[in-house]
Each structure stands twice: as structure tokens, then as C-alpha cells.
Amino acid sequence: MKQVKHVNQAPEGADEKDLFRSDWKEDLDDDNRKKLSRVQRNQKRNFWIPCLVVAIALGGVSLGAAYWMDHKESSNPIVQLQKAEEKQYNDYVNWVNNLEKPADWDDETFETLKTAALNAYSTADLEELNKAVEGDAQAAAKFEGQTEAKVQEPIKQYEDLFNNASSYPANIVALAKDPGLVAFVLEYPNHANDSGTDVTLGDVTQQMPDLKTFDQAWGYVPYRDSIMAISGGAPTVIADVFSYCLDDPTITPLSIARWAKEAGYENNEVSEAEDSIFSGAALTYGVPMIPLALYKTQITDHVSQGYPTIIVTGSYEAPKYYAIDSVDANGQWVAYDPTTSASPVTLDPDTTIDTVIKAYSFW
């Protein structure tokens, strides 16, 4: 005869009052302990089955809600546009960070250009799209009818530079060590073998202009063994001084460079001889000039009296040119450096004088 199971009942031999003792189980024999174990297992099973059912039901609701939300997002054009813009940005950042340095670029130039490339990406649209997704109707209205992330023009220039590095001469790319010249480097393909643009300077009657070799009006023009941006220091400082001395805004680095080529000074700007591009230009343009002895006191005296002064530092093989405009309250020379965006610069006469190989004062 089949034995009847007494489910959820206390085993025989367990007095009801004993159930309140913490050690009442020790009074049970083996059979009753087994019966008690089965009762407890059944109680646990009866507890967990409803819990499992509830958990499955909640999971189904969550999956359904997630599906509904995902379906809702996939049909929202603003959400899709935001995802596309975010992907474009992340892809670009990852591309820049994983670039390999071209063999003929130096590390400093490479890192400067990578930083500039990352900073060039405008996140304005992405920020507005994030607002639109959060419910900002005004932000959403800006993207009405737009279905794709816009390609940013500055980014295309960096992509061209890094993907076609061999098309950019290394000495021109090296200009980008100065962050102020990055834009000049990026524009190089549009100005290769440029002949320059004739321009008129602004007011040169009150202040000597601080002209730059890398101005796009003349910076790409071939000069000496390179281009004006790299090798045009002498014509540029002459234009600084002469346009001011003659109150003539048509005297530019480009016009001086053209004259230097015709007069034979392009490849013989300065030497130990007295004749130089400066003496030749002074004679041609009618600007009085006096060569100065290489003493800091004499240079300081002439500048303090208001005479624009050009100094040549370095060596005759690799000269560097400055146009000194004034002397500051600390006795430092305030000079224009035509090859850098950080100008004017202050030069310490005590240390600079040891590097000066020529000095000329004009009026």
C-alpha cells in the first residue's frame, strides 16, 4: 500500500512545546530527522517557486520596456543624428591618437600637429544634439531636416596632411612647431609655387609694422633655397623698417624680395664684406643707414633715440634677423622676430650682443 506523505507536518515525537526550544531537534531519532528535513525542503520549494514566477514576469516586463525604448530611439531622427555625430567624433579622435609619425618629421612637430588636429574638431553640434535628445526643442530645431553628421572642413585638411605627408616638404611641415603657423602649413597645397599677392599695409606712419615671413600674401613665394616663410627674414625686416621710415605702405616683404632677386642679393644677403642686402636696399630706396659697432651701448643708444635698428645674429651661413623697435623700462631690446608668431620679443643686450654679427641703424 502506497505510503501517505505528511507534507509540512511536524514529525512524530516532537512535542509542540518543544518546538520553541532551540535544541529540540536533538531529541529526534533518525527517522524523524529525515521527515523534518523533507518538510523544510518542501517549505523552501513552496517559497521559491512564486518568487521565480515573479522574477520571470518582471524580467519579461523589463525586456519589453527595453525593446520599446530601443524601438522608440531607432525611429527618432534626432537620436540617430546624435549617434552618427558621436561616432564621427570618436572615430576621428581614435584615428588621430593612432597615427604614426612620418619618418622625416620630428617628434615636436608631430605632437603639435596631432594636438592641433584634435582641437580643430568642433563639438558644438554634438553638444547641441545632446541637449536635443534630452528634450530641448530649441536645440532640436537647429537640426530639422538633417540626417547625416556634417563633415567639418578643417578636419579634411588634417586628414589630407597626415594621409599625404609625402606631398608636404618636411622643412615646411617643421614650421608647425610654432602653433601659430599650423594654418600656414595646412594651406601649403593650395599655394605651391605661389607668386605672391601685392598688398598695401595699414598705417605705417606712427608705428613700425611687425611683418611676418609667413603671411599668406608672400609666405609661399620661392626665395633662396626654400620659400619666404622659411628664408625671407631679411626682406621682411627691411620692409618693417623702410615702410616706417618712408611712410610707404606699399613696401612689403614681397616687393623687397623681388628687388633682392633682381639686384643679386637673394643668395648673398650678408657677409663679412661691407656690401649687403641692407646697404644695397638703403641705397636703392633712399633710406639713410649707418653700420653700428657691435657694442650693446651703441645699439641701445641709437634705438633709444628713435632710430629703427636691424641686427643680424647667428652666423653668415645661418643668419637670423631682428628689427629692434624700442628699449623697455628694464633696458631690454623690444624686437620684431619675423619668423615667429610670438612677437614682439624682448632681447637681453648682455647675452644677445655675443651673437650679433651685423647691426645697422636707419632713419
Side-chain angles (χ1 to χ4, degrees):
M1 181 176 179
K2 188 175 181 180
Q3 184 177 1
V4 178
K5 293 183 178 180
H6 300 282
V7 180
N8 298 332
Q9 295 182 9
E12 296 177 5
D15 190 286
E16 185 176 354
K17 65 180 181 179
D18 290 338
L19 298 178
F20 294 94
R21 292 170 39 219
S22 60
D23 61 346
W24 63 273
K25 293 181 184 180
E26 297 177 1
D27 296 336
L28 301 179
D29 56 25
D30 291 341
D31 290 338
N32 283 328
R33 283 197 181 96
K34 292 178 180 178
K35 290 179 181 180
L36 177 61
S37 178
R38 285 196 298 273
V39 170
Q40 290 174 331
R41 284 200 301 271
N42 289 332
Q43 288 175 335
K44 290 179 179 178
R45 185 183 302 115
N46 292 340
F47 171 77
W48 283 110
I49 287 175
C51 290
L52 182 60
V53 171
V54 172
I56 293 173
L58 291 174
V61 171
S62 298
L63 288 173
Y67 171 81
W68 180 81
M69 290 296 294
D70 185 65
H71 177 72
K72 182 180 178 182
E73 288 188 356
S74 65
S75 61
N76 186 332
I78 288 295
V79 172
Q80 292 307 302
L81 185 58
Q82 186 260 1
K83 288 183 176 179
E85 180 67 42
E86 189 171 54
K87 182 178 184 303
Q88 177 175 275
Y89 173 70
N90 289 333
D91 287 349
Y92 178 73
V93 171
N94 290 333
W95 172 73
V96 172
N97 288 332
N98 289 291
L99 286 168
E100 293 186 5
K101 182 179 73 68
D104 54 352
W105 292 16
D106 62 77
D107 291 338
E108 184 181 357
T109 298
F110 182 56
E111 292 303 323
T112 300
L113 284 169
K114 283 178 63 178
T115 299
L118 291 173
N119 292 337
Y121 195 106
S122 173
T123 59
D125 280 356
L126 184 56
E127 292 168 2
E128 287 298 297
L129 282 166
N130 289 337
K131 294 179 183 178
V133 168
E134 294 172 0
D136 188 325
Q138 186 175 2
K142 298 177 182 178
F143 303 95
E144 185 175 355
Q146 183 179 335
T147 58
E148 297 180 352
K150 293 181 179 178
V151 177
Q152 300 186 21
E153 287 302 318
I155 302 311
K156 292 172 64 177
Q157 287 188 303
Y158 284 99
E159 290 174 341
D160 181 73
L161 171 65
F162 287 113
N163 291 331
N164 303 288
S166 60
S167 300
Y168 294 75
N171 61 341
I172 292 177
V173 174
L175 292 171
K177 283 195 287 287
D178 182 340
L181 274 67
V182 169
F184 181 89
V185 172
L186 293 176
E187 284 291 327
Y188 173 75
N190 300 323
H191 297 274
N193 298 314
D194 202 345
S195 59
T197 303
D198 290 308
V199 298
T200 299
L201 305 178
D203 184 9
V204 294
T205 62
Q206 303 300 316
Q207 177 70 40
M208 184 167 67
D210 184 7
L211 302 174
K212 300 299 177 183
T213 60
F214 50 86
D215 190 298
Q216 291 196 9
W218 50 76
Y220 302 101
V221 174
Y223 185 76
R224 302 192 71 182
D225 57 352
S226 184
I227 60 175
M228 282 286 290
I230 296 173
S231 304
T236 303
V237 293
I238 291 173
D240 282 340
V241 173
F242 284 20
S243 62
Y244 175 61
C245 289
L246 298 174
D247 294 339
D248 187 349
T250 67
I251 299 177
T252 67
L254 181 60
S255 64
I256 297 294
R258 287 171 178 164
W259 164 81
K261 289 183 179 183
E262 295 173 358
Y265 288 106
E266 178 181 9
N267 295 308
N268 187 31
E269 293 179 337
V270 291
S271 67
E272 293 183 4
E274 288 301 318
D275 186 32
S276 68
I277 189 174
F278 303 104
S279 59
L283 182 62
T284 300
Y285 284 85
V287 178
M289 181 200 84
I290 180 172
L292 299 180
L294 304 184
Y295 297 109
K296 63 181 181 181
T297 53
Q298 186 170 26
I299 295 173
T300 297
D301 287 345
H302 275 259
V303 175
S304 298
Q305 294 175 45
Y307 299 121
T309 300
I310 292 175
I311 61 172
V312 185
T313 65
S315 65
Y316 293 116
E317 295 73 27
K320 184 171 179 58
Y321 305 96
Y322 295 95
I324 303 179
D325 176 64
S326 59
V327 178
D328 68 15
N330 297 316
Q332 306 291 291
W333 296 338
V334 179
Y336 295 156
D337 181 348
T339 62
T340 176
S341 61
S343 186
V345 297
T346 56
L347 303 176
D348 183 353
D350 292 333
T351 55
T352 303
I353 194 62
D354 293 333
T355 68
V356 177
I357 57 176
K358 292 286 185 180
Y360 306 93
S361 184
F362 303 86
W363 63 91

